[in-house]
């Protein structure tokens, strides 16, 4: 009986000792002044911050390397096409006079442009470019876009590209949503809305190169068969 009493006292003493230790740890002043002390799974509610303009290696260690540095003077980033026409009335007019599509207009580019038009333009300009898209039909838009069969019928492709790049009137810029190639493909399709009778060339396939490649493959196969026959 006495032994049981001593064990209970010892167990209580151990619990008190552990509790005191935990209380002492919790009350210690942390090195991080923003830390509340002992935390259970802190990453669940205090996400780690990222060092601005730095990158990390595979181990998660921060590397002192600027990731948003300006390009070297006189250079442009790979894949970036500088646009030299300013967002001014003069730039708009100049783009109309000088800027033309660098791509051949054919059935393929028109079809691709139609798909992109359906994703980014149709809701305002409408399926046929009559300014009767779903946004306009709702009656909540303050202005109706000009039609491609009317006011915009003779609008040069350079001005259309300029408008998509910077925005025009109630339309905002689409430069961050559509790259250079996508803008030109949309314009190829818009030109068919401006002029429904416009004849679009079929996609031409150069069969000469294909024929040469096929002939080379056939020649290699024949040579391999001849070599195999000699071995046997």
């Amino acid at each position: 009986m006495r032994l049981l009493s001593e064990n209970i006292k010892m167990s209580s003493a151990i619990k008190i000792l552990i509790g005191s230790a935990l209380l002492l740890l919790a009350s210690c002043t942390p090195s991080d002044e923003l830390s509340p002390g002992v935390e259970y799974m802190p990453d669940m509610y205090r996400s780690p911050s990222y060092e601005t303009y730095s990158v990390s290696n595979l181990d998660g260690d921060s590397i002192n390397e600027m990731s948003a540095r300006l390009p070297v003077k006189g250079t442009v980033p790979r894949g970036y096409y500088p646009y030299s026409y300013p967002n001014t009335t003069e730039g708009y007019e100049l783009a109309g006079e000088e800027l033309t599509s660098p791509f051949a207009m054919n059935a393929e580019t028109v079809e691709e442009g139609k798909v992109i038009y359906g994703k980014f333009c149709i809701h305002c300009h409408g399926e046929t470019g009559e300014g009767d898209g779903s946004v306009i039909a709702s009656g909540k838009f303050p202005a109706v876009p000009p039609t491609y069969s009317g006011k915009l019928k003779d609008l040069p492709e350079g001005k259309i590209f300029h408008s998509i790049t910077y925005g025009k009137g109630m339309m905002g810029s689409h430069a961050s949503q559509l790259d250079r190639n996508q803008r030109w493909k949309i314009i190829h399709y818009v030109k068919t809305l401006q002029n429904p009778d416009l004849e679009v060339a079929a996609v031409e396939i150069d069969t000469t190169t294909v024929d040469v490649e096929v002939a080379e493959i056939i020649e290699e196969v024949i040579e391999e068969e001849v070599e195999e026959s000699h071995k046997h």
Side-chain angles (χ1 to χ4, degrees):
M1 196 67 182
R2 182 179 178 183
L3 181 60
L4 180 60
S5 178
E6 289 179 355
N7 287 339
I8 293 175
K9 289 180 180 179
M10 184 177 293
S11 177
S12 299
I14 292 173
K15 290 180 179 178
I16 293 172
L17 182 62
I18 294 174
S20 300
L22 292 175
L23 182 62
L24 180 64
L25 290 173
S27 62
C28 291
T29 303
S31 57
D32 183 3
E33 295 182 355
L34 297 177
S35 173
V38 177
E39 299 175 273
Y40 177 70
M41 299 184 71
D43 55 328
M44 295 293 290
Y45 54 91
R46 277 208 318 151
S47 58
S49 61
Y50 287 89
E51 193 67 27
T52 308
Y53 303 130
S54 69
V55 294
S56 300
N57 58 22
L58 295 177
D59 297 325
D61 300 324
S62 180
I63 303 174
N64 293 325
E65 180 179 341
M66 298 292 286
S67 60
R69 290 179 294 183
L70 293 174
V72 177
K73 187 176 181 180
T75 65
V76 294
R78 180 178 296 176
Y80 172 76
Y81 293 90
Y83 187 67
S84 58
Y85 299 91
N87 186 18
T88 60
T89 302
E90 292 75 18
Y92 176 75
E93 295 296 333
L94 195 60
E97 296 173 6
E98 300 178 348
L99 192 60
T100 57
S101 175
F103 306 105
M105 184 171 174
N106 53 44
E108 183 179 0
T109 58
V110 169
E111 185 59 31
E112 290 180 14
K114 181 179 180 180
V115 172
I116 304 171
Y117 179 93
K119 295 178 180 179
F120 292 91
C121 315
I122 196 172
H123 52 281
C124 286
H125 288 279
E127 186 176 354
T128 59
E130 292 300 311
D132 55 355
S134 57
V135 173
I136 307 303
S138 68
K140 298 179 181 180
F141 202 72
V144 177
T147 65
Y148 288 121
S149 61
K151 186 176 180 180
L152 302 181
K153 183 174 178 60
D154 299 319
L155 190 68
E157 58 185 18
K159 286 187 176 181
I160 301 176
F161 187 91
H162 191 89
S163 299
I164 298 175
T165 302
Y166 288 121
K168 181 73 172 174
M170 297 297 296
M171 184 181 79
S173 168
H174 284 64
S176 62
Q177 299 167 296
L178 301 168
D179 62 29
R180 170 177 173 264
N181 296 358
Q182 291 173 320
R183 281 174 251 171
W184 281 120
K185 288 175 181 178
I186 284 179
I187 292 169
H188 284 195
Y189 176 66
V190 166
K191 290 173 74 172
T192 67
L193 299 180
Q194 291 176 313
N195 183 8
D197 297 326
L198 181 66
E199 294 185 2
V200 180
V203 180
E204 295 183 1
I205 301 176
D206 185 4
T207 58
T208 305
T209 305
V210 177
D211 292 340
V212 171
E213 291 178 353
V214 171
E216 290 177 350
I217 293 173
I218 294 174
E219 187 176 350
E220 289 177 1
V221 171
I222 294 174
E223 289 178 356
E224 290 177 359
E225 291 181 350
V226 171
E227 290 178 0
E228 288 294 327
S229 63
H230 288 321
K231 289 179 182 179
H232 297 291

